[in-house]
Amino acid sequence: MAGQSDAQASTFSAAELEFLAEDELIEIVPNLRMDPLNLICGDFGPFRPQIATQVPIWLAVALKKRGKCAIRPPDWMSVEKLTQVLEAERDAEKFQPLPFHYVEISRLLFDHARDDIPDIYMVRSLIEDIKDVRFHKIGTGLEIISKERTYALRLKNLSAMEANIVRPFVTRALETFYKLSSPDMIQDSDSVQNRQHQTVNRGPRRQLKDR
Amino acid sequence: MESGAGERSSQYSEMDDYESLISTTDAELLKRAWQNEKAAPQILRFEAALVQRSREQIQLMEETVEEYTRNGSDPLTVSLYQMDLDRTLFLLRSYLRTRLQKIEKYMFHIQKTTELWNRLSRPEQKFMGRCIEDMEQHLDQSVLSKLPSSYKSHLKQSSSSEEDDMVPEPQLDTYVICRSNRFLGAFQLDDSGEETVNIEADDLYALPYKSIKPLVETGQIDLV
């Protein structure tokens, strides 16, 4: 009937997420002299040798590729900070706060600014570990959907890439449970009578689970 | 059917202008509109004023780049301006294309729902009109004209159907992932008011689109 199955359940492609992440600001130290840039996405510069300035990542990468600047990795990308995050991530059930685009940003910097990141191997493996721990948590965390009646899910501190990866599964699962818990909804009618049915129907379902 | 899209967008444009003045750049707003449009199951209101302004900025930037190239400015600077231009062009194109895809998918539904029809820009309305003509003709020539008379409608399975049951509609009870940049407090999920959720600033939530539809349409919540 109405509503075909959604072919592109994962709304954004990895490339599109990277595109979004490239707009995040980062500090660079230019080695050239250049007038301020008045771009559509904002005004940046002026650029003076050895004087740090903030630019979007795409701009930083473009300059870096031409050897015109050094990129200063953000604070959260230091070995010290990442070690803390990893420990906390392992200890606590909650997700640690990290930048929304941490996966994409770290990837961009690993690809284009290797020589600007101190202890790059350490940093890289820490981020990999953090990613692994978080994905494991996401996996176990999702069990909650089947355990109790869930109408809404709060995904506190989940990053863009993580949310995008779980999106097809989570949205489908929630949708299915939502429909199962109110069979009348499928028939597409929302009279008052039906709504009463729904509440009645929810009762026995929960008991079934408890057994 | 000729719509009030004109009035509607001008009324909103003032709001848009005001909002962009006090808070964000058009690039940021366009990015948001693009994300919302991509993530929403239904077609959203055409951001007429924003698209207009973006077009103007793009044109201005194109002229700037051309001028810089002509008078032999630093090629690095020119290429950076060009990159910025390309990024904005991509956003605008992808935004318009996402809408066209939705229109193609749900044209018969949009056609009979005035509220949705009014959300389209004039060129989009024209596009949909032509789409519908082609689709009707195609269905008719390939199948419908060869069927018995009670099965000839492209909207109904048979003339005994009470509703238009062959019209694809967006599923509004689908779940979306959203984020608000401010605290919205306890928010009611269903009509009965049994289920509420506390929407905090900057947190991600997976919620049924249907229940946050008004918040998306008024820009209080963003889809991600």
Side-chain angles (χ1 to χ4, degrees):
Chain A
M1 211 193 77
Q4 302 147 338
S5 68
D6 194 17
Q8 43 163 32
S10 68
T11 319
F12 297 98
S13 69
E16 284 169 339
L17 284 182
E18 192 177 280
F19 177 84
L20 291 173
E22 282 172 340
D23 279 336
E24 298 289 317
L25 295 182
I26 198 162
E27 201 169 76
I28 60 163
V29 183
N31 57 22
L32 83 169
R33 201 166 262 281
M34 190 166 62
D35 292 333
L37 297 169
N38 305 312
L39 304 173
I40 298 177
C41 65
D43 298 339
F44 301 99
F47 302 88
R48 299 279 172 266
Q50 302 314 318
I51 296 181
T53 180
Q54 296 258 338
V55 294
I57 293 180
W58 66 263
L59 189 58
V61 169
L63 287 173
K64 177 75 191 173
K65 273 186 186 161
R66 293 165 176 80
K68 301 294 185 199
C69 77
I71 295 179
R72 281 199 182 153
D75 281 347
W76 57 268
M77 263 182 82
S78 69
V79 173
E80 189 195 354
K81 281 272 164 55
L82 288 173
T83 317
Q84 281 172 13
V85 172
L86 180 60
E87 270 171 30
E89 201 74 72
R90 281 191 174 132
D91 292 343
E93 219 176 287
K94 286 182 179 154
F95 289 94
Q96 298 305 306
L98 275 170
F100 191 53
H101 289 291
Y102 87 96
V103 180
E104 302 91 311
I105 293 176
S106 59
R107 179 64 198 269
L108 280 165
L109 296 190
F110 291 148
D111 284 353
H112 300 290
R114 302 180 63 86
D115 51 330
D116 290 333
I117 307 169
D119 308 311
I120 179 158
Y121 289 104
M122 194 64 188
V123 170
R124 182 170 247 185
S125 83
L126 278 167
I127 289 186
E128 283 302 315
D129 287 350
I130 290 172
K131 237 171 24 183
D132 287 347
V133 176
R134 287 170 68 99
F135 270 108
H136 180 72
K137 260 192 224 177
I138 293 172
T140 48
L142 288 182
E143 286 174 17
I144 196 179
I145 302 183
S146 62
K147 280 199 185 112
E148 36 193 284
R149 200 153 46 94
T150 315
Y151 283 104
L153 205 60
R154 184 174 179 206
L155 310 162
K156 192 174 165 67
N157 288 336
L158 217 59
S159 80
M161 194 64 95
E162 290 158 350
N164 204 47
I165 286 171
V166 300
R167 183 199 315 267
F169 177 76
V170 168
T171 51
R172 279 297 168 84
L174 286 170
E175 212 175 301
T176 311
F177 279 115
Y178 188 76
K179 279 183 180 156
L180 286 177
S181 68
S182 51
D184 315 70
M185 284 212 16
I186 299 167
Q187 289 161 18
D188 233 24
S189 77
D190 55 356
S191 65
V192 182
Q193 202 188 2
N194 278 334
R195 234 176 262 143
Q196 284 165 351
H197 275 263
Q198 277 176 33
T199 32
V200 175
N201 280 331
R202 277 174 194 157
R205 243 195 90 249
R206 286 188 92 182
Q207 280 174 13
L208 234 149
K209 286 266 166 199
D210 294 340
R211 259 174 235 158
Chain B
M1 198 91 140
E2 261 307 272
S3 71
E7 294 94 87
R8 208 171 249 255
S9 49
S10 65
Q11 170 201 337
Y12 276 100
S13 76
E14 281 167 23
M15 239 173 69
D16 279 356
D17 283 343
Y18 180 66
E19 218 171 83
S20 64
L21 262 179
I22 54 168
S23 60
T24 19
T25 63
D26 281 343
E28 195 59 39
L29 289 172
L30 186 60
K31 203 160 73 174
R32 228 189 267 168
W34 173 69
Q35 280 178 286
N36 283 341
E37 195 63 70
K38 273 184 84 80
Q42 214 180 18
I43 197 152
L44 301 174
R45 184 178 55 80
F46 182 67
E47 299 278 354
L50 176 61
V51 167
Q52 182 58 35
R53 291 198 304 270
S54 300
R55 282 215 169 121
E56 284 164 12
Q57 279 176 308
I58 287 169
Q59 205 180 351
L60 208 71
M61 191 55 85
E62 274 170 345
E63 283 162 16
T64 314
V65 169
E66 223 170 89
E67 194 189 306
Y68 280 165
T69 323
R70 232 182 305 120
N71 56 25
S73 298
D74 173 26
L76 176 66
T77 315
V78 179
S79 78
L80 293 176
Y81 275 112
Q82 185 66 47
M83 280 179 83
D84 178 52
L85 180 60
D86 290 343
R87 289 175 69 84
T88 318
L89 272 172
F90 164 78
L91 268 186
L92 185 60
R93 277 197 203 115
S94 185
Y95 172 72
L96 295 173
R97 260 186 210 166
T98 309
R99 294 181 59 86
L100 290 184
Q101 280 165 2
K102 281 189 194 171
I103 292 173
E104 286 184 349
K105 203 166 164 186
Y106 300 120
M107 48 188 162
F108 292 121
H109 176 66
I110 298 175
Q111 185 188 30
K112 58 179 194 160
T113 318
T114 321
E115 190 201 343
L116 295 181
W117 170 257
N118 286 338
R119 289 182 182 181
L120 308 189
S121 68
R122 295 250 179 240
E124 283 171 343
Q125 290 175 341
K126 223 184 258 174
F127 169 80
M128 202 183 87
R130 288 204 308 269
C131 249
I132 284 179
E133 267 171 42
D134 290 347
M135 184 54 94
E136 281 174 351
Q137 199 187 353
H138 168 66
L139 288 173
D140 196 55
Q141 281 174 359
S142 54
V143 192
L144 295 174
S145 62
K146 302 175 177 68
L147 295 178
S149 63
S150 58
Y151 297 95
K152 280 188 193 299
S153 162
H154 61 277
L155 299 176
K156 295 178 179 186
Q157 289 197 41
S158 76
S159 51
S160 63
S161 305
E162 284 171 15
E163 296 169 14
D164 295 342
D165 51 4
M166 291 295 277
V167 177
E169 284 173 22
Q171 275 181 307
L172 297 188
D173 49 6
T174 188
Y175 273 72
V176 290
I177 300 184
C178 57
R179 182 170 58 172
S180 170
N181 51 16
R182 63 197 121 157
F183 177 78
L184 292 179
F187 182 70
Q188 230 180 61
L189 276 188
D190 53 0
D191 308 333
S192 60
E194 280 176 62
E195 306 288 336
T196 56
V197 62
N198 247 329
I199 299 186
E200 313 246 0
D202 293 325
D203 261 359
L204 293 185
Y205 294 88
L207 300 170
Y209 178 72
K210 203 171 49 176
S211 62
I212 56 158
K213 197 168 156 271
L215 297 181
V216 175
E217 283 161 6
T218 50
Q220 293 184 72
I221 213 166
D222 285 317
L223 304 179
V224 291

